[in-house]
Amino acid sequence: MNTIRLGDIAPNFIAKTTEGKLDFHEWLGESWGMLVSHPADFTPVCTTELGTMANYKAEFEKRDVKVAAISVDPLTSHFEWIKDIEQTQNAQVNFPLIADDEREVATLYGMIHPNDDATMTVRSVFIIAPDKKVKLILTYPASTGRNFEELLRVMDSLQLTQYKSLATPANWKNGEDCVILPSVSNEKAEELFPKGFVEVKPYLRLTPQV
Ligand code: BEZ
């Protein structure tokens, strides 16, 4: 199984999707990206997930994140299934659904865990930064639907780190105090965080979200 680790460049691929042929890196451009795999078309949890993802797309777009989904089903199946998603989930599927019937992308990204299931992809999430580096990898079992509020929360945290030198503490929610990155000196922190910061310990410094 191919293993991708945080910090690796997300492998590029060209694939068939419900929105036409897609060159992954070209499609990402300078944006952030989120690639999610689902076990199979016409399965109950996946149906709810993809409807939910469609309804969250605008929130991802606000954060400059492009979203795409993938399974090892063919395009004809995807198009049929989309009708069910739209009929049952009050959603318009508004992102590319990748048809990976040859399992090329699933293999490249290690999305098949043969000891769990030899044929279906697990529920993987890969978040990719504009420099194409992998910033987050999650793996859920087929029976657990993902929490898209959590995926947005992670995006907010990743972007605070990337652009504001901030980390986020346990159970952090948007708007709550953040943690100053250990690599930032106190002198630099005074410059970066004009609202000030509280030094709970020299290594634990909190500041309002910027
Ligand atoms: C689902 O997507 O609903 C599902 C797929 C495989 C096993 C369990 C649930």
Side-chain angles (χ1 to χ4, degrees), residues 77 79 98 129 200 208:
S77 162
F79 281 123
I98 296 166
V200 183

Short mmCIF file of all heavy atoms in Angstrom, two decimals, residues 77 79 98 129 200 208:
data_model
loop_
_atom_site.label_atom_id
_atom_site.label_comp_id
_atom_site.label_asym_id
_atom_site.label_seq_id
_atom_site.Cartn_x
_atom_site.Cartn_y
_atom_site.Cartn_z
N SER A 77 -22.22 4.84 -12.85
CA SER A 77 -22.80 4.61 -11.53
C SER A 77 -22.89 5.93 -10.75
O SER A 77 -23.91 6.24 -10.12
CB SER A 77 -21.92 3.59 -10.80
OG SER A 77 -22.15 3.62 -9.43
N PHE A 79 -23.20 8.93 -11.90
CA PHE A 79 -24.28 9.79 -12.42
C PHE A 79 -25.65 9.30 -11.92
O PHE A 79 -26.52 10.10 -11.58
CB PHE A 79 -24.25 9.86 -13.95
CG PHE A 79 -23.20 10.81 -14.48
CD1 PHE A 79 -22.21 10.37 -15.35
CD2 PHE A 79 -23.20 12.15 -14.11
CE1 PHE A 79 -21.25 11.24 -15.84
CE2 PHE A 79 -22.23 13.04 -14.60
CZ PHE A 79 -21.26 12.58 -15.46
N ILE A 98 -14.95 11.67 -8.54
CA ILE A 98 -13.96 10.97 -9.36
C ILE A 98 -14.34 9.50 -9.51
O ILE A 98 -14.68 8.84 -8.52
CB ILE A 98 -12.56 11.11 -8.72
CG1 ILE A 98 -12.13 12.58 -8.70
CG2 ILE A 98 -11.53 10.24 -9.45
CD1 ILE A 98 -10.94 12.88 -7.80
N ALA A 129 -2.38 21.87 0.92
CA ALA A 129 -2.16 23.32 0.94
C ALA A 129 -1.84 23.83 -0.47
O ALA A 129 -1.59 23.02 -1.39
CB ALA A 129 -0.99 23.63 1.89
N VAL A 200 0.96 31.59 30.05
CA VAL A 200 0.57 30.64 31.11
C VAL A 200 1.82 29.90 31.57
O VAL A 200 2.04 29.68 32.76
CB VAL A 200 -0.49 29.65 30.57
CG1 VAL A 200 -0.96 28.70 31.67
CG2 VAL A 200 -1.68 30.39 29.97
N PRO A 208 -5.86 36.27 21.62
CA PRO A 208 -7.13 36.22 20.88
C PRO A 208 -6.90 35.90 19.42
O PRO A 208 -5.86 36.26 18.85
CB PRO A 208 -7.69 37.66 21.04
CG PRO A 208 -7.00 38.21 22.25
CD PRO A 208 -5.65 37.57 22.28
#
